[in-house]
Amino acid sequence: MISLSDALRGAEQNKTAIGHFNISDLAGLHGIVAAARELNVPVIIGVSEGERKFVGVRQVVALVKSMREELNHPIFLNADHTHDVAGCIEAAQAGFDAVLFDGSKLSLEENTREMKAVAEAVRKINPEIIVEGELGYIGSSSEMREGIPEGAAIKPEDLTKPEEAARFVKETGVDLIAPAVGNIHGMMANAPEPNLDIKRVADVAAAAGVPLVLHGASGNTDLDVRKAVEAGMRIVHINTEIRLAWRKGLEAALAANPKEVAPYKILPGAIEGVKSVVLAKLRVFNRL
Ligand SMILES: [Zn+2]
């Protein structure tokens, strides 16, 4: 079975991106895995702190690892947006393939210091684990919103600077960087998302020398995401759009079966909803 770093190298060679999709339950996991298998591409399952608390840290590892082994398919697990060193260590000890330390609300100095501590602690547990850092605040909730979250970097002068990215990688030793390049967590309820700054993506990728991760890609156009992948994004995160698909799929199944009470007969509606969105996204990221 290939490792996540093998999959990242493959993405770099092909100028494609690995899809990263969050789950809160087994229906989401089944939908994502079904889509990745249908297209025969690797996939990353993400769990934020809230999602991890609901599913269980050790339980989500057991689910993902058992599916990877049984299906013989590259399915990886990431501890998405972890805000402290202890949370990163807990995920590493439980057997996650990757951890993201999110120090984007800290000053650059504090973010660098904490990130270095995370990278060292995680590598002591398992040197194979992929460590990601975040530079530039891009909001924090995967939700439908009316505007841009307060404090989010969206003006050109607030976006991640190539020289900052280079220094951050050198000082912390991270494997991946999530920059602020016009991307925002969540998606607009009634308006298009702002465009991504593709030139900035290319400049940060060249300066950083490590693969970049595009967060908050829900609501961005396929064309914009395609260009960002071409410019150096090697992982793309989608959460809000699949949360929406999960809910709509569930509502449709409940409406179609008003008397049904067996969860395993209702939840396939959510699985199908998630699967169809993930299929469309994976085609864009993998240029299929
Ligand atoms: Zn994110």
Side-chain angles (χ1 to χ4, degrees), residues 20 22 80-81 100 102 134 138-139 142 185 214-216 237:
H20 174 294
N22 291 64
D80 203 13
H81 296 286
L100 161 57
D102 183 350
E134 181 139 348
I138 58 163
S142 296
H185 280 128
L214 179 60
H215 282 252
H237 281 227

Side-chain angles (χ1 to χ4, degrees), residues 82-114:
T82 309
H83 293 89
D84 54 34
V85 182
C88 293
I89 290 174
E90 185 190 21
Q93 282 172 337
F96 279 60
D97 301 292
V99 296
L100 161 57
F101 170 69
D102 183 350
S104 61
K105 272 200 151 176
L106 305 173
S107 69
L108 183 59
E109 285 66 32
E110 283 174 297
N111 190 2
T112 304
R113 196 173 52 239
E114 294 271 292

Side-chain angles (χ1 to χ4, degrees), residues 6 73 77 117 158 247 283:
D6 296 332
H73 191 90
L77 182 62
D158 295 332
R247 183 178 174 121
R283 286 196 176 102

Side-chain angles (χ1 to χ4, degrees), residues 10 51 58 89 94 130 138 143 160 176 210 216 229 242 255 266-267 281 284:
E51 290 159 344
R58 291 174 57 197
I89 290 174
I130 299 291
I138 58 163
E143 60 183 7
T160 302
L176 298 169
V210 296
V229 171
I242 55 172
I266 300 166
L267 285 165
K281 297 293 177 186
V284 172

Side-chain angles (χ1 to χ4, degrees), residues 12 31-32 60 157 199 222:
E12 190 69 47
I32 296 160
V60 74
E157 62 268 29
K199 184 173 182 311
D222 288 350

